[in-house]
Amino acid sequence: MKTLIIVSHPEINNSQTQQFLMQGAKLQDVTWHHVEELTKIDINKEQALLRDSDRIIFQFPLYWYAAPEGLKRWEDKVLTRNFVYGDGDDNLGDKEFGIVVSTGMPLKEFRRGGSENITIDEIMAPYRAIADRAKMQILPTFTIAQFGYLNDQEQMQLLIDYQRYLTQEYPDTLSSRQKWFEREFTDRFKNFNDTSCAECETILNTFIQRREDLEQLKSTIGLIKQGEDE
Amino acid sequence: MKTLIIVSHPEINNSQTQQFLMQGAKLQDVTWHHVEELTKIDINKEQALLRDSDRIIFQFPLYWYAAPEGLKRWEDKVLTRNFVYGDGDDNLGDKEFGIVVSTGMPLKEFRRGGSENITIDEIMAPYRAIADRAKMQILPTFTIAQFGYLNDQEQMQLLIDYQRYLTQEYPDTLSSRQKWFEREFTDRFKNFNDTSCAECETILNTFIQRREDLEQLKSTIGLIKQGEDE
């Protein structure tokens, strides 16, 4: 799967969150595309990049209930009407669309009665509307609240969840999660090839064994159910 | 009432709609503030302009379910957190907030099942959230759909509705509408002072007479109701 991350942040080098996510993205086979770094927006090049992707992700910090101006500039230039829905060619129709948004406010404030008094889903509606117009498959929004307050354990969990968001098969079922972890394990071991990693191999084998056990169990339950139905 | 119109349009001279609205705004005592014309955004000056207004209106064409990048740039710079809700001073809390949005799509497409599949109110939620945060009074959004297809009569109606949106007392009741028209009539006659306008005077007098008749009627109905209740 080819994942394209359209990142917007006016001061990305000073953003702890974006730097963290960038490290996580580097471990995956994805394209990190920072729009504020484009000195000139080449519409054809940008459209080709989109056309060439399977999953397109908008990633940004929340500034006044929307992405920073940089993403809007990119949208207003790159997303020509013809490209998105006008010319009959399904340029984006087979692709997935996700949003990774970070905020300094606690997540619980994004609801009626909270200090923000609006939900993250309501805030993201205009972006979802674009994807909808392009007939894209919309993924649930990935929200990172108050990154600065996360402890090490929580950061590690965030890293894995983020990586899964970038490349795991949608929808997020137990089976697609298993597949993702197995592939990740295997890929990482390849990198360890020169050094021996007996522990790694044990982990992978245990994982595969457990997955197979689960599948066996599932199939047994299926048979029992079938019996009951007859 | 001091009304400030924050206008955003990257090619305002080519926009038939914005030129039309500008002519309408000129007839009212309002401030027309086009953000794309600001070569440098002076935060203090912009904030003073906002602080000095009673009604603040964002006016723009709909580009990908939001304002053009120019307005977002202005927002990201001018709307510092402290100014909007941070420092305890109620900088905007006593003001009204409105949106004038134009779109090339028919209004009926902005609903579930329509080609846009999202309502105007849903699209405007992020702007409303800012006003909410600033404790402003929110006016219903003023939507102009397919300006190019309006006939003369419809354009005149739009002009008056727009002018009322800029300066009429909120909420839009019969009584605030009457007050607005009476004031407008009177103001216009002042400009006709040198020339005689018997017709104008007749119109105004008839208007005032009818308003007084209506008030009399209302008061009579009130008395009848009171009698029934006893």
Side-chain angles (χ1 to χ4, degrees), chain A residues 46-225:
Chain A
E46 297 296 307
Q47 291 187 349
L49 202 59
L50 291 168
R51 219 183 270 113
D52 195 40
S53 310
D54 302 307
R55 178 171 294 177
I56 297 164
I57 288 170
F58 282 6
Q59 179 175 307
F60 54 82
L62 204 56
Y63 287 3
W64 292 121
Y65 310 102
E69 52 143 334
L71 185 62
K72 194 69 199 346
R73 185 188 314 128
W74 180 92
E75 282 177 45
D76 287 357
K77 290 235 166 67
V78 175
L79 301 180
T80 59
R81 189 164 145 172
N82 265 348
F83 177 71
V84 174
Y85 66 89
D87 63 359
D89 293 345
D90 234 357
N91 284 313
L92 301 171
D94 58 339
K95 304 185 191 311
E96 292 167 336
F97 175 75
I99 298 172
V100 175
V101 64
S102 65
T103 167
M105 299 298 294
L107 209 55
K108 69 176 172 58
E109 303 298 351
F110 292 92
R111 52 178 173 168
R112 292 277 167 273
S115 67
E116 304 295 341
N117 204 29
I118 183 170
T119 67
I120 292 285
D121 264 348
E122 284 169 329
I123 296 169
M124 296 308 151
Y127 301 106
R128 234 169 22 233
I130 302 173
D132 231 19
R133 219 24 172 128
K135 298 197 188 111
M136 295 168 85
Q137 165 85 53
I138 294 166
L139 311 186
T141 297
F142 188 90
T143 310
I144 303 165
Q146 300 197 297
F147 176 78
Y149 294 144
L150 299 184
N151 63 32
D152 286 357
Q153 174 75 26
E154 289 164 336
Q155 284 196 3
M156 280 308 106
Q157 186 61 53
L158 171 66
L159 188 76
I160 291 165
D161 290 345
Y162 175 64
Q163 291 181 331
R164 289 201 298 115
Y165 192 75
L166 297 182
T167 54
Q168 182 188 296
E169 198 180 287
Y170 179 79
D172 180 19
T173 59
L174 181 61
S175 140
S176 55
R177 220 178 280 201
Q178 283 170 335
K179 260 189 236 161
W180 187 85
F181 274 108
E182 219 167 293
R183 198 184 63 217
E184 286 296 308
F185 271 135
T186 316
D187 283 359
R188 302 290 158 87
F189 294 161
K190 277 183 207 150
N191 301 331
F192 282 126
N193 245 354
D194 295 339
T195 62
S196 71
C197 178
E199 209 179 300
C200 302
E201 212 157 315
T202 311
I203 293 173
L204 179 57
N205 287 336
T206 312
F207 190 87
I208 293 173
Q209 185 55 52
R210 295 248 170 118
R211 176 176 58 71
E212 284 170 358
D213 287 354
L214 253 168
E215 274 162 17
Q216 183 59 48
L217 207 60
K218 249 167 131 178
S219 131
T220 310
I221 292 173
L223 283 172
I224 293 172
K225 272 191 179 158

Side-chain angles (χ1 to χ4, degrees), chain B:
Chain B
M1 177 191 306
K2 281 189 190 169
T3 298
L4 171 66
I5 318 173
I6 310 277
V7 187
S8 175
H9 196 300
E11 296 176 58
I12 200 159
N13 294 328
N14 298 329
S15 163
Q16 226 192 331
T17 317
Q18 295 302 325
Q19 293 302 314
F20 180 83
L21 296 179
M22 191 163 69
Q23 295 311 319
K26 267 185 188 166
L27 297 171
Q28 299 281 305
D29 184 23
V30 300
T31 305
W32 179 275
H33 191 62
H34 181 219
V35 296
E36 276 86 356
E37 271 170 49
L38 304 169
T39 44
K40 202 192 157 288
I41 294 177
D42 180 333
I43 297 177
N44 289 330
K45 223 168 123 186
E46 297 296 306
Q47 290 187 349
L49 202 59
L50 292 168
R51 219 183 271 114
D52 196 40
S53 310
D54 303 307
R55 179 172 292 177
I56 297 163
I57 289 171
F58 282 6
Q59 179 175 308
F60 52 83
L62 204 56
Y63 286 4
W64 293 120
Y65 310 102
E69 52 142 334
L71 185 62
K72 194 67 198 347
R73 186 191 311 129
W74 181 91
E75 282 176 43
D76 287 357
K77 289 234 166 69
V78 175
L79 302 180
T80 59
R81 188 164 145 171
N82 265 348
F83 177 71
V84 175
Y85 65 87
D87 62 1
D89 293 345
D90 234 358
N91 285 314
L92 301 171
D94 58 339
K95 305 184 190 316
E96 293 168 334
F97 175 77
I99 299 172
V100 174
V101 64
S102 64
T103 167
M105 301 297 294
L107 210 54
K108 70 176 171 56
E109 302 298 351
F110 292 94
R111 52 177 173 170
R112 292 278 167 271
S115 68
E116 303 295 341
N117 205 28
I118 182 170
T119 67
I120 292 285
D121 265 346
E122 285 170 328
I123 296 170
M124 296 308 151
Y127 301 106
R128 235 170 20 234
I130 301 174
D132 231 19
R133 218 23 171 131
K135 297 197 188 111
M136 296 167 86
Q137 165 86 52
I138 294 166
L139 311 185
T141 298
F142 188 91
T143 311
I144 304 164
Q146 300 195 298
F147 176 78
Y149 293 144
L150 299 185
N151 62 32
D152 287 356
Q153 173 77 27
E154 289 164 335
Q155 284 195 5
M156 280 308 107
Q157 186 62 53
L158 171 65
L159 188 76
I160 291 165
D161 290 345
Y162 175 64
Q163 291 181 332
R164 289 201 298 114
Y165 192 77
L166 297 182
T167 54
Q168 182 187 297
E169 200 179 285
Y170 180 80
D172 181 18
T173 59
L174 181 61
S175 141
S176 56
R177 222 179 278 200
Q178 284 169 333
K179 262 189 236 161
W180 187 86
F181 274 108
E182 220 167 291
R183 198 185 62 218
E184 287 296 307
F185 271 135
T186 317
D187 283 0
R188 301 291 157 88
F189 293 161
K190 279 183 206 149
N191 301 330
F192 283 125
N193 244 354
D194 294 338
T195 61
S196 72
C197 178
E199 209 177 299
C200 302
E201 211 158 313
T202 312
I203 293 174
L204 179 57
N205 287 336
T206 312
F207 191 87
I208 292 174
Q209 185 56 52
R210 295 246 171 119
R211 176 177 58 69
E212 283 169 359
D213 286 355
L214 253 168
E215 272 162 19
Q216 183 59 48
L217 209 60
K218 249 167 129 180
S219 132
T220 310
I221 292 174
L223 283 171
I224 294 171
K225 271 192 181 159
Q226 212 180 352
E228 278 174 354
D229 285 349
E230 273 162 8

